[in-house]
Amino acid sequence: VETVLIPGVNSRKHQMCFDWGPGEMLVCETSFNKKEKSEMVPSCPFIYIIRKDVDVYSQVLRKLFNESHGIFVGLQRIEEELTGKSRKSQLVRVSKNYRSVIRACMEEMHQVAIAAKDPASGRQFSSQVSILSAMELIWNLCEILFIEVAPAGPLLLHLLDWVRLHVCEVDSLSADVLGSENPSKHESFWNLVTILVLQGRLDEARQMLSKEADTSPASVGMCRIMGELMRTMPILSPGNTQTLTELELKWQHWHEECERYLQDCTFASNPHLESLCKIMLGDEAALLEQKELLSNWYHFLVTRLLYSNPTVKPIDLQYYAQSSLDLFLGGESSPEPLDNILMAAFEFDIHQVIKECSIALSNWWFVAHLTDLLDHCKLLQSHNLYFGSNMREFLLLEYASGLFAHPSLWQLGVDYFDYCPELGRVSLELHIERIPLNTEQKALKVLRICEQRQMTEQVRSICKILAMKAVRNNRLGSALSWSIRAKDAAFATLVSDRFLRDYCERGCFSDLDLIDNLGPAMMLSDRLTFLGKYREFHRVYGEKRFADAASLLLSLMTSQIAPRSFWMTLLTDALPLLEQKQVIFSAEQTYELMQCLEDLTSGRPVHGGPDTQQCQDDDIETTKVEMLRLALARNLARAIIREGSLEGS
């Protein structure tokens, strides 16, 4: 567990406060001041924010998160109808895919560590390599024991491959020895042969012994006998059809032959070959003498099983594992967290494996994906947590929450929440509301995610936020579009008012395409309806359809949807129609316009005081009113005459 020191925090004075929020951050108040003083005054001028899941910010580990996401989603879609071998083979393939991603990241991290110029950074990257290596080691063992469910016989073959994959120093050692002029005289020659035997790579060990025989005539006979023992050792190969009973009988016979050669002191004159013979007999003392070459207790365990009980049953593994750990450590040191995790796996205690990994590892990636895979293997069905969610879902929720703390990886977290049937939807709603909408492109991504999942409240909230931003930036068209999408009548009214105010100031509309194509959306609010209809009046007037324009203008005045502050503008718009050669407004319509004008002027407040600007504005308004009254009176006279002549004819 990593300890983070926070400058200024004095825990003895109880100045430390913290809280985990949905953004996966610990907020700590500190107790130091800007100015240096001899005594610390209990005050908290600063707040430190410490991220819980810092691994999401590693460039290399981001590849681990990105690539494993695809594997995870594919796993959720595995056909439930698949049963037996076909399902098992698919699950094993998924497990291997996860491991290949871990190994690829481990190799890349290793290259980064080598290239690091700063020693501290190099150590940090090397530490990450060790962690990734441990993760792959644990996952591989879980794959063998819980997913492959290898029976006695094939089980040991899998464990041998496991050890060979993770104890790989032998390859570089082999290259050094074989690259020398005289391999058998190389100082590490016998170490190499011994490691090959310890790993069960007997064919390669025989080839090395042949080099010893070529250069040392005195050892030819002994090397030949040892080579023959190595060649004849019974091993259950994948394509072999022999039964376990047959293998055990052959192995027992071979074991007795090895013991006879040792009793006859065949190798007494060559301590190296004698030691190899003891190892092949499974002699614990001889194996423990090779502690340095074995390097860890689980290598010792697998070698011990190979040469003492090659047909070990899965149920017996825990006893061999515990005794191997005790023998290897010899009471000199305590088991490390990795040892405890591997021991729990050998004991087939899945929940303990997950618990220990959760404590030991610095992020939730490993336990979340491993638990999900084991759950698909039907191994965790009975384990529910006390707060209503099962272990798989709890760990996936924790992992997804960590992803949401990152500015771009949050998109991966969405799918993890989707596959949590109990609490995933609620968690997604809580987290998605806290994503900072820095750009419109990001906002559209978030919006699309919410719309696909019918998250109505979140859609409205995001649209309102974007509408507010657009208004602040004076992008009225965008603001109106977002408020319509949010179905927010109050905000649509606000934006419509801004459009009308701009029109009054500039004499023209902006964003005509949007206003012209409002369609049914204009019914969202009265003010939006008025805006759309008023724009329609201008369009009809521009097409010289004066009668239609007059009817529309009058309906806007009399339907009470026009804001009272805009009535004078509407009446002013009527002036050109009143002054047309032909009579456009009927007598009845003219009376209605007159009534609107009187209502407007009678309700207008009387201003007192010497405000020059106000006096000028009042003069302009008075002039407009007089012009309107004159135009209305003339139009009324013309309309009465016209209507009277029509009736007379």
Side-chain angles (χ1 to χ4, degrees):
V1 178
E2 186 180 357
T3 303
V4 180
L5 296 175
I6 306 168
V9 171
N10 189 343
S11 57
R12 286 176 295 181
K13 290 188 178 181
H14 309 291
Q15 292 297 322
M16 189 171 177
C17 304
F18 62 91
D19 184 31
W20 288 114
E24 300 301 314
M25 286 184 268
L26 175 64
V27 181
C28 293
E29 298 187 17
T30 67
S31 59
F32 65 87
N33 298 310
K34 290 182 180 179
K35 296 179 181 178
E36 293 184 6
K37 294 183 180 179
S38 56
E39 290 186 1
M40 298 295 290
V41 181
S43 61
C44 302
F46 295 104
I47 293 177
Y48 274 84
I49 298 172
I50 300 174
R51 299 192 182 279
K52 180 180 178 184
D53 201 345
V54 294
D55 287 345
V56 296
Y57 294 92
S58 165
Q59 287 296 322
V60 178
L61 292 180
R62 279 185 67 180
K63 293 186 178 180
L64 175 70
F65 303 141
N66 276 310
E67 293 187 28
S68 59
H69 165 260
I71 301 170
F72 169 82
V73 173
L75 174 59
Q76 311 313 306
R77 295 169 181 167
I78 283 184
E79 294 288 336
E80 285 298 325
E81 294 77 26
L82 289 175
T83 54
K85 289 184 178 179
S86 59
R87 181 174 177 80
K88 177 182 168 182
S89 64
Q90 273 200 320
L91 292 170
V92 171
R93 181 170 50 79
V94 169
S95 179
K96 290 183 188 298
N97 288 342
Y98 275 127
R99 286 200 296 115
S100 68
V101 171
I102 298 173
R103 289 198 74 83
C105 286
M106 184 170 66
E107 288 166 13
E108 186 173 344
M109 189 75 79
H110 181 62
Q111 295 302 319
V112 172
I114 293 170
K117 296 176 182 177
D118 176 19
S121 298
R123 286 192 296 272
Q124 184 182 354
F125 290 129
S126 296
S127 173
Q128 283 283 1
V129 171
S130 301
I131 293 169
L132 287 167
S133 177
M135 286 164 59
E136 209 263 337
L137 177 78
I138 298 162
W139 192 299
N140 196 349
L141 182 60
C142 291
E143 180 185 300
I144 294 166
L145 299 178
F146 304 134
I147 304 171
E148 287 269 13
V149 197
L155 173 62
L156 187 64
L157 295 179
H158 286 299
L159 290 175
L160 273 172
D161 289 337
W162 175 61
V163 163
R164 289 167 186 167
L165 184 63
H166 295 281
V167 183
C168 49
E169 294 84 356
V170 63
D171 295 321
S172 58
L173 183 62
S174 177
D176 287 344
V177 172
L178 293 173
S180 63
E181 291 183 11
N182 191 347
S184 63
K185 300 301 180 185
H186 193 280
E187 60 180 358
S188 300
F189 175 79
W190 286 107
N191 280 351
L192 174 59
V193 176
T194 305
I195 292 176
L196 290 170
V197 173
L198 291 171
Q199 290 196 4
R201 296 162 67 168
L202 298 181
D203 288 339
E204 294 170 66
R206 280 172 55 219
Q207 291 174 12
M208 298 305 297
L209 285 179
S210 68
K211 296 185 184 300
E212 167 68 8
D214 292 342
T215 57
S216 178
S219 304
V220 171
M222 288 181 286
C223 287
R224 183 181 55 77
I225 293 169
M226 179 57 71
E228 190 62 19
L229 287 174
M230 291 177 178
R231 188 185 66 79
T232 57
M233 178 182 175
I235 296 176
L236 185 67
S237 58
N240 205 325
T241 55
Q242 63 183 335
T243 63
L244 284 182
T245 307
E246 290 172 338
L247 178 67
E248 286 171 353
L249 287 171
K250 288 180 180 179
W251 186 86
Q252 191 62 40
H253 175 73
W254 173 84
H255 191 266
E256 289 169 1
E257 189 176 0
C258 290
E259 197 164 7
R260 187 168 64 252
Y261 279 118
L262 190 64
Q263 295 293 335
D264 293 346
C265 300
T266 304
F267 307 112
S269 61
N270 191 320
H272 296 298
L273 291 174
E274 188 174 40
S275 174
L276 291 178
C277 189
K278 288 179 180 179
I279 289 170
M280 290 164 66
L281 281 167
D283 186 286
E284 288 179 2
L287 285 169
L288 289 170
E289 284 176 11
Q290 309 299 332
K291 261 190 181 185
E292 286 188 16
L293 298 179
L294 286 164
S295 73
N296 51 62
W297 68 270
Y298 46 89
H299 190 182
F300 169 61
L301 162 68
V302 176
T303 303
R304 181 184 172 200
L305 289 172
L306 174 64
Y307 295 116
S308 62
N309 188 2
T311 56
V312 63
K313 296 175 182 176
I315 198 169
D316 295 328
L317 270 180
Q318 56 183 313
Y319 308 115
Y320 282 100
Q322 188 62 61
S323 63
S324 295
L325 177 61
D326 295 340
L327 285 168
F328 196 82
L329 296 181
E332 297 172 9
S333 58
S334 301
E336 298 286 333
L338 177 61
D339 301 329
N340 295 330
I341 294 167
L342 295 177
M343 183 57 67
F346 283 122
E347 291 171 354
F348 288 87
D349 190 345
I350 296 174
H351 302 116
Q352 189 64 24
V353 170
I354 294 166
K355 179 183 175 182
E356 294 282 351
C357 288
S358 299
I359 295 168
L361 297 174
S362 59
N363 65 68
W364 294 101
W365 179 90
F366 181 85
V367 286
H369 290 85
L370 180 62
T371 304
D372 175 62
L373 181 58
L374 295 175
D375 187 69
H376 277 81
C377 297
K378 314 293 184 188
L379 296 173
L380 298 171
Q381 301 301 309
S382 62
H383 197 79
N384 287 323
L385 303 179
Y386 65 89
F387 47 80
S389 178
N390 59 37
M391 183 183 285
R392 169 194 173 272
E393 181 159 323
F394 170 76
L395 294 171
L396 286 175
L397 290 173
E398 287 293 325
Y399 173 63
S401 297
L403 292 177
F404 262 81
H406 192 274
S408 62
L409 291 177
W410 64 268
Q411 296 172 77
L412 305 181
V414 172
D415 284 327
Y416 288 94
F417 282 135
D418 280 346
Y419 289 106
C420 294
E422 295 289 329
L423 301 173
R425 168 85 179 201
V426 177
S427 300
L428 178 58
E429 289 173 354
L430 286 171
H431 281 83
I432 211 155
E433 286 176 350
R434 290 169 173 82
I435 296 174
L437 306 176
N438 308 322
T439 64
E440 192 158 317
Q441 184 182 10
K442 188 174 182 180
L444 288 169
K445 281 183 184 177
V446 177
L447 197 59
R448 187 163 57 250
I449 288 166
C450 293
E451 286 176 339
Q452 287 169 350
R453 290 157 182 79
Q454 287 82 49
M455 293 163 62
T456 313
E457 284 303 312
Q458 284 68 31
V459 169
R460 289 189 65 184
S461 174
I462 292 163
C463 290
K464 285 171 78 172
I465 291 167
L466 293 170
M468 285 293 293
K469 285 186 177 180
V471 166
R472 286 194 212 103
N473 295 324
N474 207 32
R475 295 166 53 222
L476 297 182
S478 179
L480 183 59
S481 176
W482 285 121
S483 59
I484 291 170
R485 198 163 176 179
K487 295 181 172 61
D488 188 332
F491 205 81
T493 299
L494 175 72
V495 179
S496 300
D497 280 338
R498 284 285 299 272
F499 265 107
L500 295 171
R501 195 193 321 158
D502 274 13
Y503 172 77
C504 290
E505 292 172 0
R506 295 163 51 196
C508 62
F509 282 111
S510 59
D511 300 286
L512 288 178
D513 285 346
L514 175 64
I515 301 172
D516 285 343
N517 295 287
L518 284 172
M522 74 167 64
M523 305 306 293
L524 183 62
S525 78
D526 286 349
R527 199 60 44 82
L528 186 56
T529 304
F530 171 73
L531 176 65
K533 290 295 182 182
Y534 185 56
R535 167 58 194 152
E536 187 182 339
F537 159 74
H538 276 276
R539 193 175 66 251
V540 171
Y541 182 86
E543 294 169 358
K544 300 190 183 304
R545 292 158 51 197
F546 298 133
D548 293 339
S551 298
L552 188 52
L553 185 66
L554 189 64
S555 68
L556 289 175
M557 291 288 294
T558 56
S559 63
Q560 303 297 315
I561 64 169
R564 192 176 183 85
S565 60
F566 209 74
W567 279 16
M568 182 55 75
T569 305
L570 292 174
L571 288 166
T572 306
D573 285 334
L575 268 175
L577 294 171
L578 292 168
E579 298 294 342
Q580 291 289 327
K581 286 183 179 180
Q582 77 250 37
V583 178
I584 294 170
F585 287 105
S586 67
E588 185 181 351
Q589 289 176 326
T590 308
Y591 279 126
E592 289 184 23
L593 287 174
M594 286 177 164
Q595 183 62 49
C596 289
L597 180 60
E598 290 308 311
D599 290 346
L600 181 62
T601 52
S602 63
R604 194 175 293 278
V606 177
H607 295 281
D611 189 340
T612 307
Q613 182 62 44
Q614 186 63 51
C615 289
Q616 289 177 356
D617 291 344
D618 287 346
D619 288 344
I620 293 169
E621 289 297 308
T622 303
T623 304
K624 282 184 181 178
V625 170
E626 289 175 355
M627 288 175 64
L628 280 167
R629 280 178 174 153
L630 182 60
L632 286 166
R634 276 206 304 260
N635 190 80
L636 181 60
R638 291 164 62 202
I640 291 171
I641 293 169
R642 179 173 176 274
E643 289 170 12
S645 63
L646 287 172
E647 285 177 10
S649 63

